Amino acid sequence: MLRRSGERRLTDCVELPLRNRPAPGVRTLISFSRIPFFKDTGLDLAPFEPRCRWRKFDVDEILVDFEDSSTDVFFIVAGDVRILNRTLAGKEIILGEMRGGQFFGELSAIDGVGRSANVTALTRGEACIVPAPVFREMVYASPALSERVMRMLAGRVRELNARLMEQSVLDLRHRLYSELLRLSTPRPGHEGERVVTPPPYHHVLAARIGCRREQVTREFTHMSQEDLIERTRGALVLKKPQVLEARVVQALRESD
């Protein structure tokens, strides 16, 4: 499969030097307690920890690639990663980003099928890698973990359904509105405003909604002229998110 210049697979990394490994019989400070998914489960996790491994990753490192046969589940402890699909011609479609506290790879762990996407590190970070048999054993043994997996999968299906609907019925402008709203969070100290931080690159937004970078740039120009957005240091401010929401809702109604 194609790789961007500078990308490295996680499997290309060497193991940590011996001086960084815990001595025999000494319990490492790194544990499942750092991972939100495993908290308050009612399950004794100590027997599972030695069966997992911890790895650090660098910027542009490929954690998993398309159709890899691996089935491990990756729990991100620190850092950000991007999940994308790439055509044979090299066009990338960004499916989303994940950061510390989230995890990926559960589909292959559940059904044993090869990886369906590429996951590449955006920053330096660390991940706990849980082999598929260990992941399934823990989930089967804990009703709390089972419910968390089901809720997470249900949430992802709902989000994918919404994005599929938008891609099918909305034009470029309204897909952009919807994606900005999805990426944004409330702006502290500014009631009614939302922010996307860090501010997204135009080519990244284009890859997320299926268009060209130049088209996103033109739409941003229109939005600035309407006083809908404002760029500040480290953030893109949605000054009137309620207007964007209303326009998306109206566009969906008109598509019927």
Side-chain angles (χ1 to χ4, degrees):
M1 290 292 180
L2 298 173
R3 299 194 205 174
R4 294 179 297 180
S5 175
E7 285 181 339
R8 299 188 295 121
R9 286 180 182 271
L10 187 65
T11 50
D12 293 335
C13 297
V14 297
E15 293 289 342
L16 294 174
L18 290 175
R19 65 176 180 274
N20 290 337
R21 299 179 188 173
V26 177
R27 185 175 177 81
T28 175
L29 294 177
I30 298 177
S31 70
F32 285 159
S33 64
R34 298 174 59 189
I35 303 173
F37 179 77
F38 295 115
K39 291 183 178 180
D40 303 320
T41 64
L43 180 68
D44 181 11
L45 298 172
F48 299 101
E49 292 184 4
R51 300 165 64 187
C52 304
R53 61 191 189 277
W54 295 74
R55 299 295 295 267
K56 296 184 182 296
F57 53 82
D58 292 321
V59 178
D60 285 335
E61 192 165 319
I62 296 178
L63 279 67
V64 301
D65 208 352
F66 308 100
E67 299 181 353
D68 279 353
S69 59
S70 64
T71 57
D72 296 331
V73 182
F74 288 70
F75 290 85
I76 307 170
V77 178
D80 298 339
V81 302
R82 173 167 291 153
I83 304 166
L84 57 85
N85 279 331
R86 187 182 301 133
T87 68
L88 292 177
K91 182 179 179 180
E92 296 180 347
I93 304 298
I94 297 175
L95 302 179
E97 287 84 25
M98 289 187 178
R99 57 187 56 186
Q102 297 179 288
F103 64 94
F104 63 88
E106 73 289 338
L107 294 183
S108 291
I110 292 171
D111 62 16
V113 177
R115 304 293 188 180
S116 59
N118 168 290
V119 182
T120 299
L122 296 174
T123 67
R124 297 180 64 183
E126 183 179 20
C128 175
I129 305 176
V130 181
V134 179
F135 177 76
R136 292 197 301 269
E137 188 176 338
M138 286 190 291
V139 170
Y140 294 156
S142 169
L145 292 182
S146 297
E147 182 170 349
R148 289 172 194 179
V149 170
M150 288 190 293
R151 286 183 176 275
M152 181 273 298
L153 291 174
R156 291 186 184 175
V157 169
R158 291 180 188 278
E159 180 179 346
L160 287 173
N161 285 344
R163 295 184 68 170
L164 178 60
M165 173 69 72
E166 293 168 5
Q167 194 71 26
S168 300
V169 303
L170 294 181
D171 60 17
L172 159 66
R173 174 168 296 177
H174 293 91
R175 293 202 308 274
L176 179 59
Y177 291 168
S178 186
E179 190 66 22
L180 290 174
L181 289 167
R182 189 160 32 238
L183 294 172
S184 67
T185 57
R187 186 185 186 190
H190 296 77
E191 186 176 355
E193 295 185 354
R194 299 180 67 86
V195 292
V196 182
T197 182
Y201 292 109
H202 291 191
H203 73 275
V204 171
L205 283 171
R208 294 181 73 101
I209 64 175
C211 68
R212 298 189 304 276
R213 178 184 59 82
E214 295 80 4
Q215 293 174 296
V216 172
T217 300
R218 284 197 297 269
E219 292 301 327
F220 267 50
T221 299
H222 295 321
M223 294 173 71
S224 295
Q225 292 171 347
E226 291 186 273
D227 198 33
L228 295 173
I229 60 172
E230 176 186 2
R231 280 191 173 272
T232 62
R233 185 174 182 179
L236 174 69
V237 179
L238 306 185
K239 302 183 68 176
K240 302 174 184 177
Q242 68 279 4
V243 173
L244 302 183
E245 291 172 355
R247 291 181 179 181
V248 171
V249 170
Q250 184 62 31
L252 288 171
R253 286 174 179 167
E254 293 175 352
S255 66
D256 294 338

